Amino acid sequence: MFWPMLAIALGFLGIAVLGVLAVRVFVEVQRLGRQVAHTTERINRAAEDLETAAVGLARTGDSLR
């Protein structure tokens, strides 16, 4: 009777550990998603600034030399 109960307890413990790890992975994936979104916004702003600067430079006819 001891071995079947030990097997059930270890099985439950294994499933609990997998559940905890799954929650941790889920939290980290959400954090990574937020960082990717933030970085994408920064890249888009930088691209817009660069485009604005290029248009201004083209209007003046100046070169970068």
Side-chain angles (χ1 to χ4, degrees):
M1 187 70 174
F2 172 73
W3 294 112
M5 294 186 94
L6 180 64
I8 291 171
L10 289 176
F12 178 76
L13 182 63
I15 291 173
V17 168
L18 288 176
V20 168
L21 293 176
V23 168
R24 290 181 64 187
V25 167
F26 178 74
V27 168
E28 291 300 320
V29 166
Q30 281 190 330
R31 184 179 304 164
L32 178 62
R34 284 192 300 270
Q35 287 179 346
V36 168
H38 178 68
T39 303
T40 302
E41 290 173 8
R42 289 181 61 194
I43 289 171
N44 287 336
R45 271 185 281 164
E48 289 171 3
D49 292 345
L50 183 61
E51 184 177 349
T52 302
V55 168
L57 185 63
R59 284 189 184 147
T60 62
D62 292 337
S63 66
L64 295 176
R65 291 186 277 149

